[in-house]
């Protein structure tokens, strides 16, 4: 129990942020849990990992955690659902308003914040800290101090810091920890272990496991210090070394998994009975953490898992790709394609990882996980992208819609050098159709080439295709660029109708906006107003706020407002369009 620290945290009335920073194994999460038990304020807890290093994913978790404590309103979730990952201003604004308006004091916990590194995510953390109302706190736990503006908070007296010096255990605390772990020691023994581990709580816990075994044997005690390599030596000699070879192999081979259950371990190991083995490991207190009350899902203590992985790499490096491959197989069978992608990449099977990324790419894009897509493209690397037509088209598409025309042009050119035959994993009718739509979006080769590409896409995408509305919209844009306004209007009318019917709302809103602009150019103010209103309604109903395709919607609405003499509404529309300018490229 860290009674003194907990009371210190509870009494921090003037602060808005608590930062608990220390290396692995110093009890950061344990301190937060004890604080949560003894503080009357409710705790909104977010445990982070690398998969959360995406602004949309991160802010979604924060919103859910806060909503469980006290409802934050559907507007926040609507903003998250409509985000494209290009800008998070709308989400943060609504989330900040919800935080500022809360009536009940709370503590928002961001545990393992050091697992995140995206600058835009760190900026979001800093912004949220600024919205925390008086009487509430944001508590951060990390191995290193994150770059979220802590010096400013420190200077303003709004920061409480807990570090290694606060978390180390002295002899008395060490003796209590050892006793709680089932080991009775004298004060001198506890003092010796506290000195050997430099008060490192995990080191002391591992020492307790060692002592339990040593008292049943004649082996001399193992000495500790606070460096990780000694933990590895200890685990190797005093934990793994005392287990059967079969149990050691189970631990090291299943350490490739972040979360474990019986069937998953069976699939990876090619055996049966893993559920019973996990139960046995938990009873042995081998740093296996249950994740549910049913004792179905587990994870290894992070430090222990890292040591096991190092042991696997030392003992059986040749089996690691096979284990990851089997994990990918199992996750793919379960329909958990993102997990399958992680393990396919870890197995070294670049072609399979490229295929899986294409299969999940459209789903990621639709929920705004653009940063996740970019990160995976970076992980696979330019060589893999350059030899895979579908992946090159995906990279071009993401770059084009993310405001990076140079990268978009490079990847579109790479796709052009590859044979684009066969079916598409991207959701379109064919790779050829995907390429045509990329070309049309980027207007590669001028208006005539854009027109030919869009025509090809329209021919390829059937009436039921989710991409038909987009293909028709591109053809309408190409026709408009060629100066054929009336023909373009007919195509936009069909695109909006198809889009509304099959759920292609981005294409529908864009087509309606273009119809409004055409009507404005022809002096038909009534039609221009009607189409702009319908475009705005689609954007609202489909949660497309701040999507790149809403740029023309704002432009059309601003023109309608100006023609009507409503300068205030025109400013609103132009301000919304202004926020999109950094990511607008050729087609918008």
């Amino acid at each position: 129990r860290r009674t003194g620290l907990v009371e210190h945290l509870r009494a921090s009335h003037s602060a808005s942020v608590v930062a608990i920073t220390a290396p692995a194994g110093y009890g950061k999460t344990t301190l937060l849990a004890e604080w949560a038990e003894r503080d009357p304020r409710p705790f909104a807890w977010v445990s982070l990992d690398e998969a959360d290093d995406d602004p949309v994913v991160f802010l979604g978790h924060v919103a859910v955690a806060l909503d469980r404590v006290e409802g934050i309103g559907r507007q926040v979730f609507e903003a998250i659902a409509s985000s494209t990952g290009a800008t998070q201003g709308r989400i943060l604004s609504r989330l900040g308003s919800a935080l500022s308006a809360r009536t009940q004091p709370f503590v928002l916990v961001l545990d393992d914040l050091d697992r995140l590194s995206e600058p835009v995510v760190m900026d979001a953390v800093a912004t949220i800290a600024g919205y925390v109302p008086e009487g509430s706190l944001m508590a951060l736990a990390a191995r290193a101090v994150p770059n979220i503006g802590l010096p400013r908070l420190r200077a303003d007296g709004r920061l409480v810091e807990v570090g290694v010096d606060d978390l180390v255990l002295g002899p008395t605390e060490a003796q209590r920890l050892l006793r709680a772990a089932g080991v009775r020691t004298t004060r001198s023994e506890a003092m010796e272990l506290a000195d050997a581990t430099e008060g490192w709580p995990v080191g002391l816990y591992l020492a307790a496991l060692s002592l339990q075994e040593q008292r049943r044997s004649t082996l001399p005690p193992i000495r500790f210090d606070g460096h990780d390599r000694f933990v590895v030596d200890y685990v190797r000699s005093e934990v793994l070394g005392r287990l059967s070879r079969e149990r050691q192999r189970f631990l090291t081979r299943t350490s490739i998994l972040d979360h474990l259950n019986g069937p998953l371990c069976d699939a990876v190991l090619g055996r049966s009975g893993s559920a019973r083995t996990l139960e046995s490991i938990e009873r042995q207190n081998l740093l296996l953490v249950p994740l549910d009350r049913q004792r179905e899902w587990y994870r290894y203590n992070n430090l222990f898992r890292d040591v096991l992985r190092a042991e696997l790499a030392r003992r059986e490096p040749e089996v690691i790709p096979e284990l990851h491959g089997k994990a990918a197989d199992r996750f793919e069978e379960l329909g958990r394609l993102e997990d399958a992608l992680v393990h396919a990449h870890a197995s070294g099977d670049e072609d399979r990882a490229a295929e899986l990324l294409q299969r999940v790419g459209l789903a990621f894009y639709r929920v705004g996980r653009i940063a996740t897509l970019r990160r995976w493209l970076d992980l696979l690397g330019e060589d893999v992208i350059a030899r895979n037509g579908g992946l090159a088209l995906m990279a071009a598409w993401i770059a084009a819609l993310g405001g990076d025309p140079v990268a978009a042009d490079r990847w579109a050119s790479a796709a052009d050098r590859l044979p684009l035959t066969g079916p598409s994993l991207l959701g379109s009718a064919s790779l050829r159709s995907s390429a045509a739509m990329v070309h049309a979006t980027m207007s590669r080769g001028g208006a005539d080439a854009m027109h030919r590409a869009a025509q090809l896409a329209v021919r390829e995408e059937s009436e039921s295709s989710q991409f038909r509305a987009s293909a028709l919209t591109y053809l309408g844009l190409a026709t408009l660029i060629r100066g054929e306004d009336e023909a373009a209007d007919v195509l936009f009318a069909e695109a909006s109708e198809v889009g509304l019917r099959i759920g292609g709302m981005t294409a529908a809103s864009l087509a309606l906006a273009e119809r409004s602009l055409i009507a404005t150019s022809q002096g038909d103010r009534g039609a221009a107003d009607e189409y702009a209103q319908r475009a705005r309604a689609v954007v609202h109903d489909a949660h497309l706020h701040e999507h790149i395709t809403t740029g023309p919607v704002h432009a059309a609405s601003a023109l309608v407002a100006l023609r009507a003499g409503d300068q205030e509404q025109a400013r609103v529309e132009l301000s919304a369009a202004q926020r999109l300018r950094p990511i607008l490229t050729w087609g918008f």
Side-chain angles (χ1 to χ4, degrees), residues 21 64 302 442 502:
T21 55
V64 169
N302 289 333
M442 298 169 58
I502 66 174

Side-chain angles (χ1 to χ4, degrees), residues 343-360:
H343 287 283
H345 179 256
S347 75
D349 191 341
E350 296 174 335
D351 292 336
R352 184 179 187 184
E355 174 188 328
L356 287 165
L357 180 57
Q358 292 172 75
R359 290 171 62 187
V360 300

Side-chain angles (χ1 to χ4, degrees), residues 187-449:
R187 180 171 176 80
S188 63
E189 288 173 332
M191 184 178 296
E192 182 180 354
L193 282 171
D195 288 340
T197 60
E198 300 182 26
W200 189 26
V202 158
L204 284 161
Y205 183 70
L206 291 174
L209 297 181
S210 175
L211 287 171
Q212 288 173 335
E213 293 295 329
Q214 289 171 17
R215 290 182 175 180
R216 292 191 289 269
S217 71
T218 58
L219 291 174
I222 301 296
R223 298 186 62 86
F224 289 82
D225 73 15
H227 298 287
D228 283 2
R229 64 188 180 92
F230 292 96
V231 178
V232 173
D233 289 342
Y234 173 77
V235 171
R236 189 178 293 162
S237 62
E238 292 299 313
V239 178
L240 297 179
R242 297 180 180 277
L243 301 173
S244 67
R245 185 173 296 276
E246 180 183 357
R247 181 58 52 85
Q248 291 181 42
R249 186 179 294 114
F250 182 94
L251 289 169
T252 56
R253 290 189 173 188
T254 58
S255 69
I256 68 157
L257 300 167
D258 290 329
H259 297 153
L260 313 89
N261 72 357
L264 179 58
C265 292
D266 284 344
V268 170
L269 300 177
R271 50 163 281 182
S272 60
S274 294
R276 292 190 299 274
T277 302
L278 289 170
E279 292 173 4
S280 173
I281 291 172
E282 186 192 0
R283 287 195 300 270
Q284 286 182 282
N285 214 12
L286 288 174
L287 297 168
L288 187 68
V289 181
L291 298 177
D292 52 49
R293 294 182 179 178
Q294 292 74 32
R295 295 302 201 266
E296 179 183 1
W297 283 95
Y298 299 87
R299 68 167 178 84
Y300 290 120
N301 169 278
N302 289 333
L303 187 64
F304 186 49
R305 179 200 63 199
D306 292 344
V307 174
L308 291 175
R309 288 178 177 177
E311 274 300 289
L312 180 63
R314 185 179 70 90
R315 296 180 180 188
E316 301 181 285
E318 72 284 353
V319 306
I320 295 176
E322 179 185 357
L323 294 171
H324 280 293
K326 289 180 177 179
D329 292 341
R330 177 59 178 169
F331 281 122
E332 190 169 0
E333 289 173 7
L334 296 172
R336 294 172 56 175
L337 298 185
E338 187 171 0
D339 289 318
L341 171 59
V342 170
H343 287 283
H345 179 256
S347 75
D349 191 341
E350 296 174 335
D351 292 336
R352 184 179 187 184
E355 174 188 328
L356 287 165
L357 180 57
Q358 292 172 75
R359 290 171 62 187
V360 300
L362 183 59
F364 281 5
Y365 171 72
R366 283 179 167 171
V367 297
R369 295 182 61 182
I370 306 298
T372 300
L373 283 172
R374 288 200 192 101
R375 185 166 67 248
W376 271 112
L377 289 168
D378 290 341
L379 282 172
L380 291 178
E382 295 193 357
D383 290 344
V384 176
I385 300 172
R387 68 170 184 261
N388 186 299
L391 209 57
L393 290 171
M394 174 187 284
W397 179 261
I398 295 301
L401 296 183
D404 189 351
V406 175
D409 191 65
R410 182 173 78 252
W411 291 124
S413 297
D416 288 344
R417 293 191 291 268
L418 296 169
L420 299 177
T421 57
S424 169
L425 299 173
L426 304 172
S428 59
S430 65
L431 284 178
R432 187 172 66 163
S433 179
S434 295
M437 284 185 279
V438 168
H439 280 252
T441 303
M442 298 169 58
S443 308
R444 288 167 65 86
D448 290 339

